[in-house]
Amino acid sequence: QDVSRTELIEQMDSVLDEMRMTIDALQPSHDDLCTILATLRYRLQPRLDAAGIRVVWSLPEVTSELLMPPEHIFHVQKIVMEALTNVQKHSGARHVWLQLEVPSTFVQQGLAVITIEDDGCGLGSARDRQGGVGLQSMQARAQAIGADLTIAPSFRGGTLVRLTVRWQPSPAAVA
């Protein structure tokens, strides 16, 4: 199968982004959910800008770190990256909203919610939501870390990905 030069460059850029983010996730200082999402923003923003997709990032001002084990951070990172890659490749969206929130009712339980919502074409049928390898991989990663992942139609017409993850307060906040 012939691959155009443009497609090859896009695939190489994607591979490089993934490699950089994998290295980022292995850094011992990157066990905080806010830090890893900020790093994802830094890594992915240029690619999304080039695709003409405006990303609105909403990360909370939190007083303590939302710490997670490195393997959980890695899976969260891959789920968010896959969701944003799907927006770029399949949705035709012009906007995507990424939000991290820790609802007050979830603080005691140590839960945080990441939502990724776009204004693209949506998923269509329920069968589409069961979907391809990427969506199945996202579900498997969420299950592996005990997170809850929902993929559904968005009120904005596109797709809504909602990931609820468990975190621990930083030791400094507990002391």
Side-chain angles (χ1 to χ4, degrees):
Q1 178 182 8
D2 289 338
V3 177
S4 76
R5 179 175 166 77
T6 304
E7 290 172 321
L8 185 60
I9 290 170
E10 285 176 2
Q11 288 175 359
M12 290 302 296
D13 285 344
S14 180
V15 167
L16 285 172
D17 284 343
E18 252 193 81
M19 186 177 69
R20 288 177 185 125
M21 286 185 282
T22 299
I23 292 168
D24 290 342
L26 297 174
Q27 300 297 320
S29 62
H30 291 163
D31 57 355
D32 171 46
L33 192 53
C34 291
T35 301
I36 209 66
L37 289 175
T39 303
L40 272 172
R41 178 181 187 175
Y42 171 76
R43 295 288 188 203
L44 294 178
Q45 190 73 49
R47 188 176 357 146
L48 294 163
D49 287 344
I53 300 171
R54 182 170 182 269
V55 185
V56 178
W57 299 82
S58 178
L59 304 178
E61 297 287 326
V62 291
T63 55
S64 77
E65 295 175 314
L66 305 178
L67 301 180
M68 299 176 77
E71 64 275 9
H72 289 212
I73 286 286
F74 180 76
H75 285 303
V76 169
Q77 181 187 49
K78 298 294 278 182
I79 291 167
V80 172
M81 186 173 156
E82 181 66 34
L84 291 172
T85 298
N86 286 343
V87 170
Q88 180 187 351
K89 288 184 177 179
H90 306 297
S91 75
R94 304 309 321 143
H95 300 88
V96 62
W97 295 265
L98 189 143
Q99 180 176 8
L100 169 65
E101 60 182 332
V102 183
S104 58
T105 55
F106 281 16
V107 171
Q108 291 295 334
Q109 300 170 55
L111 296 174
V113 180
I114 301 168
T115 55
I116 301 133
E117 186 175 8
D118 69 70
D119 62 357
C121 63
L123 287 170
S125 70
R127 199 183 100 219
D128 290 341
R129 286 192 287 281
Q130 301 304 315
V133 175
L135 296 180
Q136 290 173 2
S137 172
M138 290 167 66
Q139 289 287 0
R141 287 181 182 283
Q143 193 172 18
I145 61 172
D148 181 46
L149 179 69
T150 305
I151 302 169
S154 159
F155 291 113
R156 294 182 163 129
T159 301
L160 171 69
V161 175
R162 179 183 166 102
L163 179 67
T164 304
V165 295
R166 186 163 302 285
W167 56 273
Q168 307 111 31
S170 63
V174 176

